[in-house]
Amino acid sequence: MAKKKDSEKQNASENSNKNGEEPNYEDPDGFVDDVSDDELLGDILARKPKETDGFDNVIIVDGIPEVGTDRLEKLKGVIDKIFSKFGAIVSDYYPKNDQGVTKGYVFIEYNNAQSARDAVAQLNNYKLDKKHTFLVNLFTDYEKFTTIPDQWEPPSPAPFPERPNLQEYLLEPDAYDQYLIFDSDWHVQIWSNSSPHPTLLEDRERWTESFVRWSPLGTYLATCHKPGVALWGGPNFTKVMRFVQSNVQVIDFSPCEQYLITLSPQPDSSDQKKLIIFDIRTGMEKRSFVVDGAPTWPIFRWSKDDKYFARIGVNMLSVYETPSFGLLDKKSISVNGIKDFMWSPSDNILAYWVAEDKDVPAKVVLLEIPSRSEIRANNLFNVADCKIHWQKMGDYLCVKVDRYAKLKKEKGEVKYSGMHYNFEIFHMREKNIPVDIIEIKEPIHAFAWEPVGSKFAIVQGEQNSVKVAFYDIKSAQKLSLMKLLEKRVCSHLFWSPAGQYIVLAELREIGALEFIDTNDFSTMASGEHFKASQVEWDPTGRYVVSSSSAWSNKMDTGYWIWSFQGKVIRRNNSNTFWEIKWRPRPPTLLSEKQLKDIKKNLKKYTVQFEQKDRIRLTKASKDVVEKRQKLWRDFQEYREKRIEEWKEQKEERLQLRHHIDTDDVNNDSHNHEEEIVEFIVKEEVTVID
């Protein structure tokens, strides 16, 4: 119809021009235009500005307190503190009524849209107090909420995002452990410690820009980059999660791998650092802290179940709880003179020590959380320092106390000379927690608990007469010296994770290693890894790695892998080697009874394991033979080609050598001459009386 009308108008215009009349462009009476603007200008109308354009970074917060002008600044301070965690706030607007009282909602503008989305995700339904709960929405969603249909339709299910199996490495049938190698070219490799030769699982250049770390249960591999931290896992080490924080210096995991803690300098201040706690499962920031000065890492220490974390302040101990991340009971614990603390690895118990203050003695306190009740306290005198050592199972606690040897008083002042060392052993599973005391007057170099069991070892004595003492705790008040190994070259102790075996190591210069079986205290083997700076057992206690890092040495760097009996299995030397780390394993799911039954019937399983080992060795030997045979065949082929080429060049050789056949060794015309040359190598003169 419209085309017909346009044709009629065009004809009328042409006729008017022919007659010398002005054209008439008016629509005839009754004309109806059935062409819509969308058909004519659809592409232009699609770019038409909307009222909400440019407001992606604005949120609406409903449910805030209604206050007057006198309390508005205080309210703004509270709101800013809560919402500034997600990004920089550009502006805010608090609507008011005629009396100047806020209407109970506020518009907040961030500097980017991501911060606005994060604030909505984390703070919607946030409870400010008993009367006020925030309802947080994006400003751009306002139109969506005003046009909600009356008829409800069920939402379509979102596709489930498939995640890799993060525990896949535990399904390895032969329980081969994994380890990472990190070198100075920012090159990271993941190896399986398979037998008879290790297997390369991953090999990536520039996988990190700073450092790499395993999570405490071995689920994740953390790599650090300028924009933040990335977590990798699964069969092919795919990226699982990333956490945005620039220039991260150090990281830490909570024991159950629920939270990641990062520390980096704040952008607006060079002398302050910002610490952030992230939720690993969601990637969201849970809380941040500002840290002054040069902190001792880790700043926060976690309870064994991730329910609590704590840090030391000035004369106080601050304990926080999860998932609220607020102070336990909304207040810190006042402890004058507190110096250090450690969580029990098996219970929610804190052990801390307090320094002496004039006539008030030093004290070691065991504090139960969350009740804050002191379950044990022990006074100490003439204390210079204390070190807290928990046994891995949490059955025992050792506090090493460095004591001054009191001499005399001069002009009202006490003079001290020399040091004595006490080891206060707390029996955590005994009634009233009795304490054993060991006093040693020689210098102490190292202390270490057996991870499973009741033994511990102490390295003591002067540098030229070092001794290693082994003690055992049978029950309360029955501590006994089991063995004293004298004249040992030792500075560090490394127990096997399964107990019984220990490595005595000297990591200062020589790199001497001695492998001891503590059942009979026999030396299974001794060896040296020159300049070794690190010793670490694998999680199963079958292998030990010693390493010399390029961070501490310029020459003889690399790592060696030993069996638990002290036999060198593999040597890997590299001038670019930085670090080797075994991949941790989570605690076993077997009960103590099941473990005892397995150890008791181990001979039943030995046969099948030995058979597997023989098959591997046979296969390895076959592979070696086949490789050598292939090399021999390749050499023979190369040799035959060179001989054929040599034969083809015979005529050319004859021409160059005046037709003398130098290839024939029996030809007398070669004019070979033989000359014997003698010269003095060394002259010694001995005078005989």
Side-chain angles (χ1 to χ4, degrees):
M1 179 68 182
K3 291 182 179 179
K4 184 178 178 181
K5 294 293 184 180
D6 290 343
S7 178
E8 292 177 354
K9 291 171 64 178
Q10 184 177 0
N11 293 334
S13 177
E14 292 177 353
N15 293 332
S16 299
N17 289 336
K18 290 179 182 179
N19 299 328
E21 300 176 1
E22 291 186 4
N24 183 13
Y25 295 103
E26 294 183 359
D27 294 328
D29 296 338
F31 171 75
V32 177
D33 189 355
D34 56 357
V35 179
S36 65
D37 292 341
D38 291 337
E39 291 178 323
L40 292 175
L41 306 171
D43 56 339
I44 297 176
L45 292 176
R47 300 194 299 270
K48 180 181 178 181
K50 299 178 182 178
E51 186 177 352
T52 58
D53 285 349
F55 292 96
D56 292 341
N57 52 349
V58 179
I59 62 173
I60 306 175
V61 184
D62 199 0
I64 67 172
E66 298 180 8
V67 300
T69 307
D70 55 334
R71 297 175 57 194
L72 181 58
E73 290 302 321
K74 183 177 181 180
L75 175 64
K76 285 185 176 182
V78 173
I79 298 298
D80 287 348
K81 183 178 180 181
I82 295 173
F83 284 87
S84 61
K85 296 178 182 178
F86 302 93
I89 296 177
V90 177
S91 63
D92 54 31
Y93 173 66
Y94 292 79
K96 304 173 186 175
N97 59 19
D98 297 338
Q99 288 74 34
V101 178
T102 60
K103 294 184 177 181
Y105 58 92
V106 60
F107 297 87
I108 297 177
E109 181 183 0
Y110 286 98
N111 62 348
N112 61 76
Q114 184 60 46
S115 298
R117 290 192 292 269
D118 292 344
V120 172
Q122 293 295 312
L123 294 180
N124 190 34
N125 294 318
Y126 175 87
K127 192 171 184 180
L128 179 64
D129 52 37
K130 294 181 179 180
K131 296 182 179 180
H132 300 89
T133 301
F134 292 160
L135 298 177
V136 187
N137 294 283
L138 293 172
F139 183 81
T140 52
D141 289 338
Y142 178 78
E143 184 178 354
K144 179 181 72 174
F145 294 140
T146 57
T147 58
I148 296 177
D150 296 334
Q151 188 67 27
W152 180 80
E153 294 182 2
S156 57
F160 177 74
E162 193 69 29
R163 298 189 68 180
N165 182 7
L166 300 178
Q167 278 71 40
E168 182 270 343
Y169 72 102
L170 297 175
L171 303 178
E172 211 287 323
D174 296 307
Y176 290 137
D177 283 301
Q178 298 178 9
Y179 57 88
L180 70 83
I181 303 296
F182 183 34
D183 63 32
S184 59
D185 296 326
W186 308 103
H187 181 206
V188 181
Q189 293 180 329
I190 309 294
W191 291 83
S192 172
N193 192 33
S194 54
S195 177
H197 304 292
T199 304
L200 181 61
L201 303 178
E202 287 292 328
D203 187 357
R204 302 188 188 181
E205 298 285 348
R206 308 288 306 183
W207 199 352
T208 179
E209 298 176 17
S210 180
F211 57 84
V212 289
R213 289 289 181 272
W214 292 111
S215 61
L217 302 181
T219 308
Y220 307 101
L221 176 68
T223 59
C224 189
H225 311 267
K226 288 183 180 179
V229 179
L231 296 187
W232 311 78
N236 300 316
F237 288 94
T238 56
K239 187 183 291 184
V240 178
M241 187 62 67
R242 67 183 185 93
F243 306 91
V244 179
Q245 186 185 15
S246 60
N247 301 321
V248 172
Q249 293 179 333
V250 285
I251 66 172
D252 191 23
F253 287 88
S254 62
C256 297
E257 300 182 341
Q258 295 186 52
Y259 306 104
L260 175 71
I261 305 94
T262 62
L263 180 67
S264 74
Q266 282 187 321
D268 55 346
S269 178
S270 59
D271 59 345
Q272 289 184 328
K273 303 177 185 300
K274 185 175 183 181
L275 183 145
I276 299 179
I277 302 178
F278 292 96
D279 188 315
I280 289 180
R281 291 166 295 182
T282 63
M284 301 303 299
E285 178 183 327
K286 304 303 292 184
R287 183 166 179 180
S288 63
F289 298 84
V290 173
V291 182
D292 297 331
T296 301
W297 192 257
I299 298 173
F300 289 107
R301 297 175 183 172
W302 292 77
S303 64
K304 54 96 183 179
D305 53 8
D306 286 7
K307 287 186 177 180
Y308 307 99
F309 60 99
R311 70 168 174 175
I312 288 179
V314 179
N315 294 327
M316 69 173 61
L317 179 64
S318 301
V319 181
Y320 301 83
E321 57 184 343
T322 60
S324 67
F325 290 86
L327 277 171
L328 180 65
D329 297 334
K330 298 185 178 180
K331 60 181 179 180
S332 297
I333 303 170
S334 178
V335 184
N336 290 329
I338 185 170
K339 292 296 183 179
D340 196 12
F341 77 99
M342 291 289 288
W343 286 95
S344 165
S346 60
D347 305 284
N348 287 334
I349 296 175
L350 276 169
Y352 67 85
W353 78 277
V354 178
E356 288 184 271
D357 183 15
K358 297 180 181 179
D359 295 332
V360 179
K363 185 167 60 173
V364 175
V365 178
L366 297 177
L367 191 70
E368 197 276 333
I369 299 295
S371 66
R372 302 191 183 200
S373 59
E374 291 187 6
I375 59 177
R376 186 69 162 89
N378 206 25
N379 290 334
L380 306 170
F381 298 91
N382 305 331
V383 175
D385 192 16
C386 287
K387 290 291 185 293
I388 301 171
H389 303 274
W390 282 97
Q391 189 235 19
K392 187 176 179 181
M393 307 301 292
D395 297 334
Y396 306 101
L397 167 67
C398 173
V399 179
K400 173 180 170 285
V401 184
D402 299 354
R403 295 179 181 274
Y404 294 112
K406 184 186 293 187
L407 287 180
K408 59 182 179 179
K409 288 187 176 181
E410 292 183 359
K411 297 180 180 181
E413 294 184 2
V414 180
K415 300 292 184 179
Y416 295 99
S417 176
M419 297 294 293
H420 290 176
Y421 305 92
N422 279 16
F423 291 86
E424 314 263 340
I425 311 297
F426 293 75
H427 298 250
M428 299 301 298
R429 307 305 180 198
E430 302 290 336
K431 185 177 180 181
N432 297 327
I433 312 181
V435 179
D436 284 337
I437 299 176
I438 302 173
E439 183 175 354
I440 299 176
K441 297 183 179 181
E442 296 178 302
I444 304 299
H445 305 285
F447 172 92
W449 283 103
E450 183 183 26
V452 287
S454 56
K455 294 192 285 286
F456 62 87
I458 301 174
V459 182
Q460 62 191 70
E462 302 295 337
Q463 290 291 346
N464 57 355
S465 180
V466 173
K467 300 183 285 289
V468 182
F470 290 88
Y471 293 85
D472 192 14
I473 305 173
K474 302 297 183 183
S475 61
Q477 306 302 325
K478 291 185 179 180
L479 186 149
S480 60
L481 175 64
M482 299 178 66
K483 188 71 174 180
L484 182 65
L485 304 178
E486 297 187 356
K487 295 183 179 179
R488 287 307 198 264
V489 181
C490 177
S491 62
H492 294 74
L493 299 168
F494 300 95
W495 282 94
S496 165
Q500 182 178 344
Y501 303 105
I502 188 173
V503 175
L504 313 182
E506 195 284 322
L507 301 182
R508 292 169 180 154
E509 185 69 28
I510 303 173
L513 303 176
E514 184 177 359
F515 295 77
I516 304 290
D517 183 349
T518 59
N519 278 351
D520 55 6
F521 295 98
S522 60
T523 299
M524 298 182 292
S526 297
E528 288 186 5
H529 183 178
F530 184 64
K531 290 286 187 179
S533 57
Q534 177 190 8
V535 173
E536 184 180 2
W537 285 84
D538 80 317
T540 60
R542 294 180 293 178
Y543 301 96
V544 181
V545 64
S546 61
S547 61
S548 175
S549 172
W551 284 329
S552 56
N553 302 315
K554 296 189 181 293
M555 298 179 64
D556 299 316
T557 57
Y559 65 94
W560 296 5
I561 296 180
W562 312 64
S563 71
F564 73 97
Q565 295 171 320
K567 178 183 177 182
V568 178
I569 298 175
R570 197 169 300 114
R571 289 182 174 92
N572 293 271
N573 297 320
S574 170
N575 293 329
T576 61
F577 170 78
W578 269 353
E579 188 177 27
I580 179 173
K581 283 292 183 183
W582 292 102
R583 185 172 192 172
R585 285 177 174 267
T588 179
L589 299 178
L590 300 176
S591 63
E592 288 190 17
K593 182 178 181 303
Q594 290 173 318
L595 291 174
K596 288 181 180 178
D597 291 342
I598 291 173
K599 292 179 180 179
K600 184 178 179 182
N601 303 311
L602 190 59
K603 292 184 179 179
K604 295 181 181 179
Y605 310 109
T606 303
V607 177
Q608 63 181 9
F609 293 144
E610 289 179 347
Q611 184 179 2
K612 274 189 173 183
D613 290 339
R614 283 194 298 270
I615 293 173
R616 288 194 196 96
L617 291 174
T618 303
K619 184 178 182 299
S621 300
K622 183 180 178 182
D623 293 342
V624 171
V625 170
E626 290 178 352
K627 183 179 180 180
R628 289 176 178 175
Q629 288 177 346
K630 182 179 183 302
L631 290 173
W632 175 253
R633 288 194 301 269
D634 293 344
F635 170 72
Q636 289 294 339
E637 290 178 5
Y638 177 81
R639 184 174 182 272
E640 289 173 1
K641 289 180 180 178
R642 298 287 80 79
I643 291 175
E644 193 67 30
E645 183 180 347
W646 180 73
K647 289 179 179 179
E648 293 175 355
Q649 295 173 349
K650 184 174 181 65
E651 185 64 30
E652 186 177 352
R653 286 198 302 276
L654 289 172
Q655 293 177 4
L656 293 172
R657 298 171 184 175
H658 306 289
H659 297 281
I660 298 174
D661 189 1
T662 57
D663 299 336
D664 185 0
V665 295
N666 297 319
N667 192 342
D668 294 335
S669 62
H670 290 176
N671 297 324
H672 294 301
E673 294 182 3
E674 190 173 295
E675 183 181 358
I676 297 175
V677 179
E678 294 182 357
F679 57 91
I680 296 175
V681 176
K682 186 177 182 181
E683 181 179 353
E684 292 184 357
V685 178
T686 304
V687 179
I688 300 175
D689 296 333

